[in-house]
Amino acid sequence: MDKRELALEVIERLKREYPDAGCTLDYDDAWKLLVSVRLAAQCTDARVNVVVEDLYAKYPNVNALAEATPEEIEQIVRPCGLGKSKARDISACMKMIRDEYNGKVPDDFNALLKLPGVGRKSANLIMGDVFGKPAIVTDTHCIRLTNRIGLVDGIKEPKKVEMALWKIIPPEEGSDFCHRLVYHGRDVCTARTKPYCDKCCLADICAKNGVE
C-alpha cells in the first residue's frame, strides 16, 4: 500500500485501540494549555499537571499571570526544569495576550507563532485541541512512530515531519491521530525499551517489521 493508504489504515486501527485518546495536559482554558505546553518541554505531563495547580491558584487568569514577575513564576514552575527560561516565556506570552489580544488566545496559527515561547508544536496543539481546527502535533512520539511505521522516511526535523504528514493525513484526523500516537508511544512503541511489537495493533503493517 502507498503512504496515504497506510496512513488511513493506521488511523483506523489506533482509533479502535485508543478511542478516547486526548491531550494529557489538564486545562480548562486556552491560556492554561499554552502555559502547560511550555512547561512540558523536557518534563512529563503528569508533573506539569501537578505544578500548574499552584501556579493557577496564585495567578487565576491572564491578567494576574501577566502582572507576575518572571522570578515569581519561576519559584513555582522550577520543578518542571529550565525554570528561568520557561518563566520568562510565560511572563512575556501572557503580557502579549493581555496587551494585544484583549486577554484572549488568538485562533490564528501565525498569530500563535508570534507569542513568546510558542513554536509549531504548541501552536498546532492549541489549534487542534482548543479551536478544533486541522492540526498535526509533531512531538517526539509522533516523529519516532511515523518513522518506524513508514509514514515518513528517516525525517527527524519536526517541521519536515509535519509537512510530510499533511500530505497523507486527512486534515480532520490530524489532531486526534497525534494524541493516539502519544498513547501508543508510551504504552507499546516505546523509546527507552525495546518496542512491544508482539502486542502492537500495527505490527503486520509496520515498516520496522519489514512489511512493505
Side-chain angles (χ1 to χ4, degrees):
M1 62 179 85
D2 64 25
K3 280 184 167 51
R4 183 167 178 82
E5 291 170 331
L6 176 61
L8 294 176
E9 182 63 23
V10 170
I11 287 169
E12 288 309 308
R13 292 192 187 191
L14 291 180
K15 276 184 181 180
R16 292 196 293 269
E17 196 76 7
Y18 311 100
D20 301 317
C23 184
T24 51
L25 291 167
D26 296 336
Y27 70 96
D28 57 12
D29 206 313
W31 69 271
K32 291 183 178 179
L33 183 55
L34 266 182
V35 170
S36 289
V37 74
R38 180 65 187 95
L39 292 176
Q42 299 181 40
C43 181
T44 66
D45 289 359
R47 172 169 286 189
V48 171
N49 289 337
V50 172
V51 170
V52 293
E53 288 184 12
D54 291 336
L55 185 68
Y56 302 149
K58 189 168 184 179
Y59 307 109
N61 53 54
V62 169
N63 287 340
L65 197 50
E67 290 295 326
T69 65
E71 291 74 23
E72 289 170 329
I73 296 171
E74 184 187 355
Q75 286 181 357
I76 299 175
V77 305
R78 190 177 291 121
C80 294
L82 306 174
K84 191 176 294 293
S85 62
K86 290 179 179 180
R88 184 175 63 243
D89 285 343
I90 289 169
S91 174
C93 183
M94 293 303 111
K95 283 181 169 64
M96 191 167 175
I97 291 172
R98 178 195 64 189
D99 298 340
E100 297 189 25
Y101 298 103
N102 297 314
K104 299 292 184 183
V105 175
D107 63 353
D108 176 80
F109 187 79
N110 290 321
L112 287 169
L113 288 179
K114 293 177 182 177
L115 296 173
V118 177
R120 296 188 67 86
K121 182 179 80 171
S122 304
N124 270 302
L125 186 65
I126 295 290
M127 293 298 286
D129 276 39
V130 175
F131 300 117
K133 296 187 178 183
I136 290 178
V137 181
T138 49
D139 63 5
T140 56
H141 293 290
C142 176
I143 294 169
R144 184 177 75 257
L145 269 64
T146 54
N147 273 280
R148 280 181 178 173
I149 294 165
L151 295 175
V152 300
D153 300 314
I155 308 173
K156 301 300 168 113
E157 185 182 321
K159 184 177 180 180
K160 289 183 179 178
V161 172
E162 179 191 334
M163 293 303 113
L165 291 177
W166 277 120
K167 296 176 182 177
I168 59 174
I169 303 292
E172 68 277 8
E173 299 285 359
S175 182
D176 288 341
F177 170 65
C178 292
H179 285 318
R180 292 187 174 103
L181 288 178
V182 171
Y183 280 68
H184 197 62
R186 288 175 178 169
D187 296 341
V188 180
C189 198
T190 51
R192 293 178 181 168
T193 63
K194 186 178 179 181
Y196 300 102
C197 299
D198 57 320
K199 62 176 184 179
C200 178
C201 63
L202 306 173
D204 62 310
I205 57 172
C206 178
K208 187 177 187 298
N209 286 337
V211 178
E212 296 298 334

